[in-house]
Amino acid sequence: SLDCITLSSGKKVDFKDIKNNSKAITAQRSKDGYFKINWKGHDCYVTWGYGHLCELKQARDYNLDYKNWSKMPLPFIPPKYELKLKSSAKKQFNIVKRLFEKSKLIINATDPDREGEVIFDYVYRQVGASVPFMRAHFTSQTKEGIIDAFNHLKNAKDIVNVTLAGRGRNIADWVIGSNLTAAMTLKYKSKEVLSLGRVQTPTLNMIVKRQKEIDNFKSEPFYTISATFTTKFGETYTANHSNKRFNNKADADSVMKKIEGKNGVVTEINKKEILKYAPNLYSLSSLQMDANARYGFTLAQTLKLAQSLYDGGYITYPRSDSEFLTEDMEPVINKVLDQLATIPAYEKHIKGKARRFNKAKYFNDAKVSSHYAIVPTGNIPSGIKPNEGKLYDLIVRSVIAMLYGPAKLEQTAVKTDVEGEAFISKGNSIKELSWMELFPRKKDTFLPNLAEKDVVSGEFKQLKKYTEPPKKYTDKTLISAMISCGKDLEEEELKKIMADPNVAGIGTPATRAAIIERLIELDYIKRQGKSIIATQKGIDLIDALPLEDIKSAKLTALWESKLNDIESGKYSFDSFIKDIEDTARAWCKDIYSNTPTTIPKSLQSAFNNNLGVDCPSCGKGIKKFSWGWGCSGYKDGCKFAISSKFAGKKLTDNQV
């Protein structure tokens, strides 16, 4: 059956015994690279990859001379898009290859989306397999959900268009990214790669635009008037003039002269009860934003912490783009809550609470694609690091909040009139705390008991302030901008595509952190405290790039439109690839024909953190990293490196 694996010792382990045998399972997983099971009377083997085992060949893989880009025709379009094995995947690939070759049937059980189909497709083609295969499509990863998926396998032909769409996007990213990168690097005679990409470049462009807005911002003075009113019972409350900003000091002075020493009269009181619902469950993006806002974690830090919790068996798969659970997971969540109730910090929030979930808010099959929301597994953590504990606590509280109804708040707005000048006060009072007891909250502003026509004395203050530039991006606001970037597109159809939850802006939850870290590594952006700002090199690159479409979300939107048509059979894979190749030809020509009169120094030279000396091993520039110095050609396989400490001494740039 599918709920039992056989260890090398001969011991059979089923679902309920996995936790108690985790060490033996992990050891065998590492040693064998597969598990043996029995399914419908057949000996079967469950094996896996680590992300992509295979990838598209680079230009130098077709012709070794093309390692020197100046010898390569641009754009480089191979006669056939060939695959190669990732160097780090050789051991596991050979295990998969051996099992494929001895099988009568292969079942593809990767994520049921374009990327998942491509992962399987590349391995299948690289092996040269001709064995028939079928598709297991999971709607949930419960025991029952897994068994149901294997009992209702899809035919390979049913997913061929999804595979073609995945291959199309993969090839398009490679053709556009690699050729434009080579063209810009050669054009500017840069010692370092001037890297461009479908997601990377519009992300950089957003940061550069914000940086320019900040740099070019001219602060202007304005004036505000505030009041502190005192009731006849000695209670005080604050208010601001209804004209929030006086651009002219004379106007503010005139109001101050009019109201100074005068009493106010409460002329209007509006009270409104509102219901505030608990936040959704966490996707990776919402978890990254919350962790950044609460604890200052970067996107990459949050992903690393979540991965560690997942590897420890404490939370579900972290690279999820969904904030919902599948409709059959209610019993699973109940079991998880039972386990969490054994932890003293959570016991009081769970015990005695009715298990009546808002199913429309939390359980929806239609809103779960490859993975459901990030939730605890019920395994109680032990020995985890403090920051892992903070992230685990956020995830746990999001699930406990499912037990609570909406919080009830009363919003009060008071208008106080002073000689015809209106002052506005706003305050909140919480009538029913509900789920809000689980989360720290800002201090509420309370207003005293007031009635219309109450007379209050007032003290008034005029302040001179200055307009402020736009806020610098933080990890939280940048990921939010990446998700919502399609809203600025002019074409309604493209705007609609980018708003689709299956697209949700540029990048994916699994790649956005890596994109930002890559831009930092390239010295196009940098961190400044909690802020993310553009460097001069990043600004110069965007200014020099003559291709507006790749600077915005428009490219992703256009591709997604055509890829959706490939999936539905309305557009052919071959037509899409031809279109991409034609685009690469036109864009490379644009790059070469739009030559600036002066070349920015930052694009001529190497990275700001480059020593200006060549690697003695391969000839590329030596670059400074946080740990020391290394060859900038490390991604091409050069391993030359020098630690920042040598023989117990810290080295300087000059010494290196």
Side-chain angles (χ1 to χ4, degrees):
S1 68
L2 282 168
D3 61 351
C4 180
I5 59 175
T6 304
L7 300 179
S8 51
S9 63
K11 182 178 180 180
K12 294 185 183 298
V13 179
D14 64 17
F15 266 70
K16 67 178 184 295
D17 294 324
I18 286 176
K19 182 181 177 183
N20 295 332
N21 292 274
S22 60
K23 285 187 177 179
I25 291 170
T26 302
Q28 185 168 324
R29 182 178 66 192
S30 178
K31 175 176 173 288
D32 293 343
Y34 64 85
F35 290 114
K36 186 177 180 181
I37 67 167
N38 187 278
W39 179 58
K40 295 188 176 181
H42 299 281
D43 286 334
C44 297
Y45 297 84
V46 178
T47 189
W48 49 84
Y50 301 101
H52 284 274
L53 296 179
C54 306
E55 61 187 355
L56 291 169
K57 283 184 176 180
Q58 300 297 310
R60 63 179 176 269
D61 298 314
Y62 294 94
N63 185 330
L64 201 55
D65 288 345
Y66 295 167
K67 193 169 185 179
N68 184 338
W69 286 351
S70 62
K71 297 180 180 179
M72 181 174 69
L74 281 177
F76 171 69
I77 307 292
K80 180 183 177 184
Y81 293 96
E82 298 177 11
L83 301 170
K84 66 177 182 178
L85 183 63
K86 277 193 170 182
S87 57
S88 60
K90 187 175 180 181
K91 179 184 175 184
Q92 186 63 19
F93 175 81
N94 286 334
I95 292 169
V96 174
K97 184 175 186 288
R98 189 171 68 250
L99 292 173
F100 273 24
E101 290 173 343
K102 67 189 286 188
S103 297
K104 295 177 182 177
L105 173 69
I106 298 168
I107 299 173
N108 171 19
T110 56
D111 291 348
D113 56 16
R114 290 177 195 161
E115 200 68 13
E117 301 300 353
V118 167
I119 287 174
F120 173 80
D121 175 71
Y122 280 9
V123 172
Y124 187 85
R125 291 196 290 134
Q126 184 70 4
V127 167
S130 58
V131 182
F133 71 89
M134 299 187 78
R135 185 21 139 159
H137 193 290
F138 305 101
T139 54
S140 85
Q141 294 182 3
T142 60
K143 172 182 172 180
E144 295 75 18
I146 290 171
I147 291 173
D148 182 67
F150 279 93
N151 284 334
H152 297 88
L153 296 172
K154 292 187 174 184
N155 290 317
K157 62 181 177 62
D158 294 336
I159 50 96
V160 67
N161 285 343
V162 181
T163 304
L164 288 173
R167 285 175 59 193
R169 183 168 65 182
N170 201 237
I171 290 170
D173 276 335
W174 180 84
V175 169
I176 296 297
S178 63
N179 280 299
L180 298 193
T181 294
M184 284 292 288
T185 303
L186 292 171
K187 174 184 175 179
Y188 287 97
K189 300 179 178 61
S190 176
K191 293 179 182 178
E192 290 287 351
V193 171
L194 297 182
S195 181
L196 302 175
R198 175 178 59 88
V199 178
Q200 180 179 296
T201 302
T203 302
L204 173 60
N205 188 47
M206 287 192 293
I207 300 168
V208 167
K209 285 176 72 175
R210 178 65 58 88
Q211 189 67 44
K212 286 183 175 182
E213 288 170 359
I214 293 169
D215 292 344
N216 297 328
F217 183 81
K218 292 183 179 178
S219 186
E220 301 286 347
F222 66 94
Y223 303 86
T224 63
I225 298 176
S226 61
T228 300
F229 293 115
T230 304
T231 70
K232 62 182 178 182
F233 301 108
E235 296 176 300
T236 62
Y237 64 99
T238 59
N240 293 308
H241 194 280
S242 58
N243 186 350
K244 295 178 182 178
R245 176 185 298 184
F246 293 88
N247 294 323
N248 189 313
K249 186 176 187 302
D251 292 339
D253 289 343
S254 175
V255 171
M256 284 294 290
K257 185 177 179 181
K258 182 179 179 182
I259 63 177
E260 199 66 61
K262 300 293 194 297
N263 290 333
V265 178
V266 176
T267 57
E268 199 174 308
I269 299 175
N270 291 311
K271 292 187 177 183
K272 182 172 70 172
E273 185 172 277
I274 62 169
L275 298 178
K276 191 173 179 66
Y277 290 87
N280 290 342
L281 297 171
Y282 282 121
S283 65
L284 176 58
S285 296
S286 60
L287 180 62
Q288 286 172 318
M289 287 191 279
D290 220 3
N292 180 248
R294 290 177 185 272
Y295 302 119
F297 295 164
T298 66
L299 307 185
Q301 277 180 303
T302 297
L303 180 55
K304 186 176 180 181
L305 292 169
Q307 184 66 42
S308 180
L309 290 169
Y310 173 68
D311 291 341
Y314 306 127
I315 65 170
T316 58
Y317 187 72
R319 290 172 171 80
S320 174
D321 60 356
S322 178
E323 297 179 345
F324 292 84
L325 301 169
T326 55
E327 291 162 19
D328 62 354
M329 287 186 68
E330 188 174 343
V332 176
I333 293 301
N334 273 316
K335 288 179 183 177
V336 168
L337 288 166
D338 289 341
Q339 291 296 108
L340 294 174
T342 65
I343 303 175
Y346 306 128
E347 181 183 9
K348 65 179 181 180
H349 300 299
I350 299 172
K351 284 199 171 178
K353 298 289 181 187
R355 302 286 177 92
R356 292 193 297 271
F357 302 115
N358 183 340
K359 293 186 180 180
K361 181 175 173 61
Y362 299 113
F363 300 93
N364 190 330
D365 287 349
K367 294 189 178 181
V368 178
S369 52
S370 301
H371 301 284
Y372 47 76
I374 305 170
V375 294
T377 59
N379 294 336
I380 307 304
S382 61
I384 62 174
K385 296 175 182 177
N387 283 348
E388 291 174 343
K390 289 177 181 177
L391 200 69
Y392 180 75
D393 181 66
L394 278 181
I395 297 166
V396 167
R397 289 177 185 272
S398 73
V399 170
I400 296 175
M402 294 170 69
L403 297 173
Y404 291 74
K408 294 180 181 177
L409 284 72
E410 186 176 76
Q411 289 185 340
T412 304
V414 174
K415 182 178 177 182
T416 306
D417 185 275
V418 184
E419 298 296 309
E421 301 292 334
F423 286 82
I424 307 299
S425 307
K426 291 183 179 179
N428 289 329
S429 60
I430 298 174
K431 298 296 184 183
E432 192 174 319
L433 200 57
S434 187
W435 61 270
M436 292 178 71
E437 71 180 45
L438 291 161
F439 299 96
R441 61 188 187 279
K442 294 177 182 177
K443 191 174 181 181
D444 297 300
T445 302
F446 294 100
L447 297 172
N449 283 324
L450 297 167
E452 290 185 8
K453 298 183 180 179
D454 278 356
V455 177
V456 292
S457 61
E459 292 184 9
F460 307 99
K461 186 185 293 183
Q462 177 182 319
L463 291 176
K464 182 179 183 179
K465 296 183 179 180
Y466 291 87
T467 55
E468 294 183 353
K471 299 286 186 186
K472 295 173 182 176
Y473 279 118
T474 64
D475 282 71
K476 177 182 178 179
T477 57
L478 182 54
I479 197 172
S480 178
M482 291 174 77
I483 292 169
S484 62
C485 62
K487 71 179 188 299
D488 296 328
L489 295 174
E490 292 180 6
E491 298 92 333
E492 285 300 320
E493 186 60 32
L494 297 182
K495 191 182 293 186
K496 185 178 177 182
I497 288 168
M498 294 301 287
D500 186 323
N502 292 321
V503 179
I506 53 174
T508 68
T511 61
R512 289 184 185 117
I515 290 291
I516 293 168
E517 295 304 317
R518 174 66 175 152
L519 288 169
I520 292 172
E521 181 186 320
L522 289 165
D523 195 35
Y524 295 162
I525 65 174
K526 64 181 180 180
R527 293 190 186 279
Q528 192 179 72
K530 291 183 179 181
S531 300
I532 296 173
I533 64 171
T535 64
Q536 189 60 49
K537 184 167 190 176
I539 294 170
D540 287 344
L541 179 62
I542 290 298
D543 287 346
L545 184 62
L547 311 172
E548 293 304 317
D549 279 358
I550 199 173
K551 294 182 189 179
S552 77
K554 185 175 181 179
L555 184 61
T556 292
L558 289 168
W559 286 9
E560 284 296 331
S561 177
K562 292 180 179 178
L563 293 170
N564 287 340
D565 286 345
I566 291 173
E567 280 194 31
S568 62
K570 298 176 184 175
Y571 191 61
S572 77
F573 169 81
D574 290 339
S575 296
F576 177 73
I577 297 302
K578 183 182 182 302
D579 183 47
I580 292 299
E581 292 170 350
D582 289 343
T583 300
R585 291 185 183 97
W587 283 359
C588 283
K589 186 177 179 181
D590 284 347
I591 287 174
Y592 276 107
S593 62
N594 286 277
T595 305
T597 51
T598 57
I599 298 174
K601 188 176 179 181
S602 68
L603 300 186
Q604 288 178 302
S605 61
F607 288 111
N608 293 344
N609 58 351
N610 192 289
L611 292 184
V613 297
D614 295 333
C615 172
S617 178
C618 75
K620 293 188 177 178
I622 293 295
K623 179 182 170 186
K624 191 171 185 178
F625 295 88
S626 59
W627 48 263
W629 295 263
C631 179
S632 60
Y634 66 96
K635 289 202 171 181
D636 295 324
C638 184
K639 300 190 182 303
F640 182 82
I642 301 173
S643 172
S644 58
K645 286 190 176 179
F646 188 79
K649 298 291 184 181
K650 191 168 184 178
L651 300 178
T652 66
D653 288 1
N654 285 336
Q655 288 169 335
V656 173

